[in-house]
Amino acid sequence: MGASDTTTRPAVLILLGPPGAGKGTQARMLEERFGLVQLSTGDLLRAAVAEGTEAGQQAKAVMDAGGLVSDKIVLAILRDRMARPDTGQGVILDGFPRTEGQAAALDALLADQGLAITAAVSMTVDDAAMVRRVAGRYSCATCGEGYHDDFKHPRQGGICDKCGGTRFQRRADDNAQTVEARLTAYHAQTAPLIAYYGARGVLQTIDGMDAIDAIAAELGAIVEKATA
Ligand code: AMP
């Protein structure tokens, strides 16, 4: 990814929030609307685990326990992904950075490429709602479209709205015990980034309890304003 000039500078949007805040859902909507690319370190790590790479093997136990994978592994995976040519219009960072070390490394990586953070959006949800959201979610095994036991069913039972796929999956770490650990990791290590980006003047806050479409409209306005 590289910048050409300041008027067409690719967007770099950071979505900050606990598990279940709606980061992935919103990132996918922004991808479709603006041609940005969702970079989810969780998805990249799950792919590395499935492929059985060395990084994946090291990450697996930590992910299963709901902890944070080392900055070294996460940064290597993120750098590789950022270097791919499809990121030219800009990226939505979903689940990254999660520590101050990652945030500082991101600042350095963007500075190297002449890029700047468009906005860091903190999506707030209360802890009880977040546990309910995470516990009920599942996705199409073919295209990744997200669904939820309580909030969003496929229009035709058992068939993905988006691709017609008939196999669905749940994440191994979306169980009550691991969710508690993920929430603890969020409060201890990731929530301090809200102040980090506040101090840099790029922080925006969105109520993650709002309706999906209302949040999408707010995020769309942020991207439009920043890239106009
Ligand atoms: P997510 O899909 O974002 O909920 O991430 C799932 C799991 O992957 C997390 O609970 C962590 O174990 C790991 N993970 C994802 N992104 C990061 C990151 N930026 N830093 C450390 N661990 C991460």
Side-chain angles (χ1 to χ4, degrees), residues 41-42 45-46 63 67 69 74 95-96 98 102 171 173 182:
T41 42
L45 287 165
R46 279 184 287 280
M63 294 171 75
V69 175
V74 171
F96 178 92
R98 257 177 159 99
Q102 291 177 16
R171 282 172 43 174
D173 60 350
R182 288 161 64 199

Side-chain angles (χ1 to χ4, degrees), residues 101-175:
Q102 291 177 16
L106 176 66
D107 287 343
L109 183 69
L110 295 177
D112 265 2
Q113 301 187 0
L115 295 169
I117 292 166
T118 307
V121 182
S122 166
M123 299 172 67
T124 56
V125 277
D126 61 69
D127 288 1
M130 165 264 158
V131 171
R132 182 162 171 238
R133 282 185 181 190
V134 170
R137 68 186 180 184
Y138 61 98
S139 62
C140 170
T142 309
C143 74
E145 181 71 358
Y147 296 97
H148 195 282
D149 292 333
D150 299 327
F151 309 123
K152 185 186 168 195
H153 301 279
R155 280 191 292 272
Q156 236 186 307
I159 301 176
C160 175
D161 297 347
K162 202 167 173 192
C163 77
T166 53
R167 285 185 311 113
F168 296 86
Q169 61 193 10
R170 285 177 200 268
R171 282 172 43 174
D173 60 350
D174 278 351
N175 63 73

Side-chain angles (χ1 to χ4, degrees), residues 5-26:
D5 61 50
T6 48
T7 52
T8 58
R9 192 144 78 164
V12 179
L13 194 69
I14 296 171
L15 298 184
L16 273 177
K23 302 185 298 292
T25 302
Q26 293 297 334

Side-chain angles (χ1 to χ4, degrees), residues 16-70:
L16 273 177
K23 302 185 298 292
T25 302
Q26 293 297 334
R28 290 168 74 97
M29 291 169 85
L30 287 166
E31 261 193 332
E32 282 182 17
R33 182 164 166 204
F34 293 101
L36 306 175
V37 170
Q38 173 193 16
L39 298 192
S40 155
T41 42
D43 284 350
L44 293 169
L45 287 165
R46 279 184 287 280
V49 171
E51 282 164 29
T53 65
E54 201 186 324
Q57 287 173 26
Q58 287 173 23
K60 187 176 182 316
V62 180
M63 294 171 75
D64 286 347
L68 290 188
V69 175
S70 75

